[in-house]
Amino acid sequence: LLELKGIKKIYQQGQVEVPALRGIDLTIHRGEFTSVVGPSGSGKTTLLNLIGCLDTPTEGKIFFDNREIEKLSKEELALLRRYNLGFIFQEYNLIPVLSAYENVELALRLFDDIKEIEVEKRVKNILEAVGLADFAHHTPGELSGGQQQRVSIARALVKEPKLILADEPTANLDSKTSEEVLEVMVEMNQQLDTTFIFSTHDPLVWDYAQRIITLKDGQIAEEKSS
Amino acid sequence: LLELKGIKKIYQQGQVEVPALRGIDLTIHRGEFTSVVGPSGSGKTTLLNLIGCLDTPTEGKIFFDNREIEKLSKEELALLRRYNLGFIFQEYNLIPVLSAYENVELALRLFDDIKEIEVEKRVKNILEAVGLADFAHHTPGELSGGQQQRVSIARALVKEPKLILADEPTANLDSKTSEEVLEVMVEMNQQLDTTFIFSTHDPLVWDYAQRIITLKDGQIAEEKSS
Ligand SMILES: Nc1ncnc2c1ncn2[C@@H]1O[C@H](COP(=O)(O)OP(=O)(O)OP(=O)(O)O)[C@@H](O)[C@H]1O
Ligand SMILES: Nc1ncnc2c1ncn2[C@@H]1O[C@H](COP(=O)(O)OP(=O)(O)OP(=O)(O)O)[C@@H](O)[C@H]1O
Ligand SMILES: [Mg+2]
Ligand SMILES: [Mg+2]
């Protein structure tokens, strides 16, 4: 599904160069449930942003479904992100003026071929699955940290894309709620063959991962498959 | 140091009432190292915001150093927050245009009796203690999630206030970095008698806490002292 070759990312900060990724080679197959782990600042979010086509690498190539991302036009990239990718951001990135329901519904609005009644069913089902049925009409400012995080999760899952990138999805959740959310993801992975790549510090997520990739200082230090 | 009597907080959401705290009685003594735990949405942030004088309860009284918070004037409240309280926000709340160094320094700038050279020393020391010496000149947008969180921690600690309220301070940190940050807090607690109240889902923080208060659905369900 995904192939990364020689990926480097160097942030330019005035005169200073900050190397966030120093050469990453990685292959991800369809249906994987993989976790990227590593210390704070090791490059996990940078890696997920590159795979999620939200940023471009300084060096190296990325292939999504055998298509080289760099060679895609802006329109093709937008279509790829809309239909094939779901992103759960570390900072949630919810739209403050929309309710939880509207934030999740918006992700489906961009699909022009789904009927209204089907959209409503899918949005309600996913909000219920992450435990937010009673908070559908709260805006982000009227939700707790972990509730906002779950809206961000619901918004990515409702699209049922090929690949979901989850950046620290359980950081603000207690262990029971984390398990409920992970169970929803495992079910999607098993029933729809949805590929999941997590960035996480949460040992609970490691237990669910079939494969653990350890990043240290911008490089892959270790890989383990369970 | 702190006394809460019959505290209730009901959020008004249009016509709907959302009870976040349903009657909390709590006494916190000087020098405590206490954790508030509970599921996502149970009322932890709401409780910390009330203790931190960032919000007012719907019902009940709060006493800080035997002074009733509600009876204080706006100026007295601001002075109390400036000199006696440090707050580590769940969403960090850093100032985007300022560097890590400037965000931390700003907290000390409000103290008019500290010399320039002393301010510089304290800011540098605390950034080093949380592992961010090399990132002092990055703005929040140029920092990872966990690095931003540590700036927010440094900003509260540098003030050396009587009470520090830490809302999920390790949510985006790996376990090694979490331990380093907790060690800094334990040292402040032992050397300066700084009182710490945490809100957390992180089992690692529970191990450091002398007292654990469990919130469920807006009420104290259990209290344990180790
Ligand atoms: N401004 C608001 N308007 C309406 N409801 C609110 C508002 N702020 C918070 N709430 C609700 O109050 C409840 C408690 O929220 P709070 O943020 O205190 O929870 P929490 O324990 O900190 O959760 P988390 O662990 O997810 O951060 C939640 O159910 C939330 O939806
Ligand atoms: N825009 C930027 N400019 C300069 N440096 C940056 C920028 N964005 C990130 N960095 C740096 O790149 C490194 C990697 O950041 P990244 O966000 O990928 O880490 P991370 O592994 O996700 O960390 P965390 O677990 O704390 O979220 C960090 O040291 C960070 O300071
Ligand atoms: Mg990150
Ligand atoms: Mg909270």
Side-chain angles (χ1 to χ4, degrees):
Chain A
L1 178 70
L2 207 60
E3 189 138 13
L4 278 71
K5 289 186 176 163
I7 291 297
K8 288 185 185 173
K9 179 68 186 177
I10 300 171
Y11 292 110
Q12 209 57 42
Q13 232 216 317
Q15 294 309 309
V16 181
E17 283 192 348
V18 183
L21 295 176
R22 297 166 190 267
I24 300 273
D25 294 302
L26 191 57
T27 304
I28 303 272
H29 300 286
R30 194 73 204 268
E32 275 196 34
F33 207 83
T34 291
S35 243
V36 179
V37 302
S40 169
S42 53
K44 301 178 297 298
T45 295
T46 303
L47 180 63
L48 260 61
N49 285 352
L50 292 178
I51 292 172
C53 308
L54 295 171
D55 196 1
T56 49
T58 313
E59 248 184 69
K61 293 185 192 309
I62 301 179
F63 297 87
F64 190 99
D65 258 348
N66 295 322
R67 296 158 75 194
E68 198 185 332
I69 290 181
E70 214 178 338
K71 297 216 166 88
L72 298 179
S73 70
K74 265 217 148 95
E75 292 68 40
E76 285 173 314
L77 218 53
L79 287 176
L80 179 76
R81 272 208 301 263
R82 180 178 299 181
Y83 296 114
N84 287 317
L85 277 175
F87 210 113
I88 301 167
F89 294 90
Q90 191 166 1
E91 326 80 52
Y92 319 149
N93 281 1
L94 298 176
I95 298 175
V97 294
L98 298 183
S99 71
Y101 183 95
E102 291 163 339
N103 264 284
V104 176
E105 187 198 36
L106 187 64
L108 280 188
R109 277 272 162 262
L110 303 174
F111 286 65
D112 31 21
D113 56 350
I114 304 180
K115 289 191 201 61
E116 188 78 27
I117 191 95
E118 168 78 7
V119 169
E120 199 182 321
K121 201 178 110 209
R122 278 170 68 170
V123 174
K124 279 190 177 164
N125 280 351
I126 198 66
L127 282 175
E128 174 122 21
V130 296
L132 292 179
D134 297 342
F135 299 94
H137 303 298
H138 287 227
T139 58
E142 297 168 335
L143 290 170
S144 78
Q147 289 169 340
Q148 291 175 47
Q149 185 153 47
R150 283 179 276 162
V151 176
S152 180
I153 290 169
R155 180 180 58 181
L157 298 186
V158 82
K159 281 167 62 174
E160 299 176 353
K162 273 186 188 169
L163 171 64
I164 289 183
L165 300 167
D167 199 345
E168 306 279 357
T170 60
N172 277 283
L173 301 178
D174 56 290
S175 48
K176 184 164 164 291
T177 308
S178 296
E179 275 176 14
E180 286 166 9
V181 165
L182 285 163
E183 289 299 339
V184 176
M185 294 175 177
V186 166
E187 203 178 319
M188 270 184 82
N189 173 256
Q190 289 171 347
Q191 293 190 347
L192 302 176
D193 218 16
T194 311
T195 307
F196 281 85
I197 304 177
F198 294 86
S199 147
T200 185
H201 294 302
D202 185 349
L204 203 68
V205 179
W206 300 1
D207 293 345
Y208 281 81
Q210 292 155 355
R211 186 180 170 199
I212 294 179
I213 299 165
T214 303
L215 270 194
K216 256 202 189 111
D217 210 15
Q219 283 182 304
I220 293 181
E222 199 188 340
E223 260 197 61
K224 258 185 304 189
S225 292
S226 61
Chain B
L1 179 68
L2 208 58
E3 190 138 11
L4 278 70
K5 289 186 176 163
I7 291 297
K8 287 185 185 170
K9 178 71 188 176
I10 299 170
Y11 291 111
Q12 209 60 40
Q13 233 215 316
Q15 295 306 311
V16 180
E17 283 194 348
V18 183
L21 295 177
R22 298 165 189 267
I24 301 275
D25 294 302
L26 190 57
T27 304
I28 304 275
H29 299 285
R30 192 77 202 266
E32 275 197 32
F33 207 82
T34 292
S35 248
V36 178
V37 301
S40 169
S42 55
K44 301 179 297 299
T45 294
T46 303
L47 179 62
L48 260 62
N49 286 351
L50 293 178
I51 293 173
C53 308
L54 295 170
D55 194 2
T56 50
T58 313
E59 249 184 70
K61 293 184 193 304
I62 301 178
F63 297 87
F64 189 100
D65 259 348
N66 295 322
R67 298 158 75 193
E68 198 183 331
I69 289 180
E70 213 179 339
K71 296 215 169 92
L72 298 180
S73 69
K74 265 219 153 90
E75 292 69 40
E76 284 173 313
L77 217 55
L79 286 176
L80 179 77
R81 271 208 303 264
R82 180 180 297 181
Y83 294 115
N84 287 318
L85 277 174
F87 211 112
I88 301 166
F89 295 91
Q90 190 166 1
E91 328 79 52
Y92 318 150
N93 282 0
L94 298 176
I95 298 175
V97 293
L98 297 184
S99 72
Y101 183 95
E102 290 163 340
N103 265 284
V104 175
E105 187 198 36
L106 188 63
L108 280 188
R109 276 272 160 261
L110 303 175
F111 288 64
D112 30 21
D113 55 350
I114 303 181
K115 287 191 203 59
E116 189 79 24
I117 193 99
E118 169 78 7
V119 168
E120 198 182 323
K121 200 177 108 207
R122 278 170 67 170
V123 174
K124 279 189 177 162
N125 280 351
I126 198 66
L127 282 175
E128 175 124 18
V130 297
L132 291 179
D134 296 343
F135 298 94
H137 302 297
H138 287 227
T139 57
E142 297 169 336
L143 289 170
S144 78
Q147 290 170 339
Q148 292 175 47
Q149 185 153 44
R150 283 180 277 163
V151 176
S152 179
I153 292 169
R155 180 180 57 180
L157 298 186
V158 82
K159 282 168 59 174
E160 298 177 355
K162 271 186 191 170
L163 172 64
I164 289 183
L165 300 167
D167 199 347
E168 306 280 356
T170 60
N172 277 284
L173 301 178
D174 57 290
S175 49
K176 183 165 166 291
T177 308
S178 296
E179 275 176 16
E180 286 166 9
V181 165
L182 286 163
E183 289 297 338
V184 177
M185 294 177 178
V186 166
E187 203 178 320
M188 271 184 80
N189 173 257
Q190 289 171 347
Q191 292 193 347
L192 303 175
D193 218 16
T194 312
T195 306
F196 281 85
I197 303 177
F198 294 86
S199 146
T200 184
H201 293 304
D202 186 348
L204 202 65
V205 179
W206 302 0
D207 294 344
Y208 280 82
Q210 293 157 354
R211 185 180 172 199
I212 294 178
I213 298 165
T214 303
L215 270 194
K216 259 206 186 105
D217 209 13
Q219 284 182 304
I220 293 181
E222 199 189 343
E223 260 196 63
K224 259 186 302 189
S225 291
S226 61

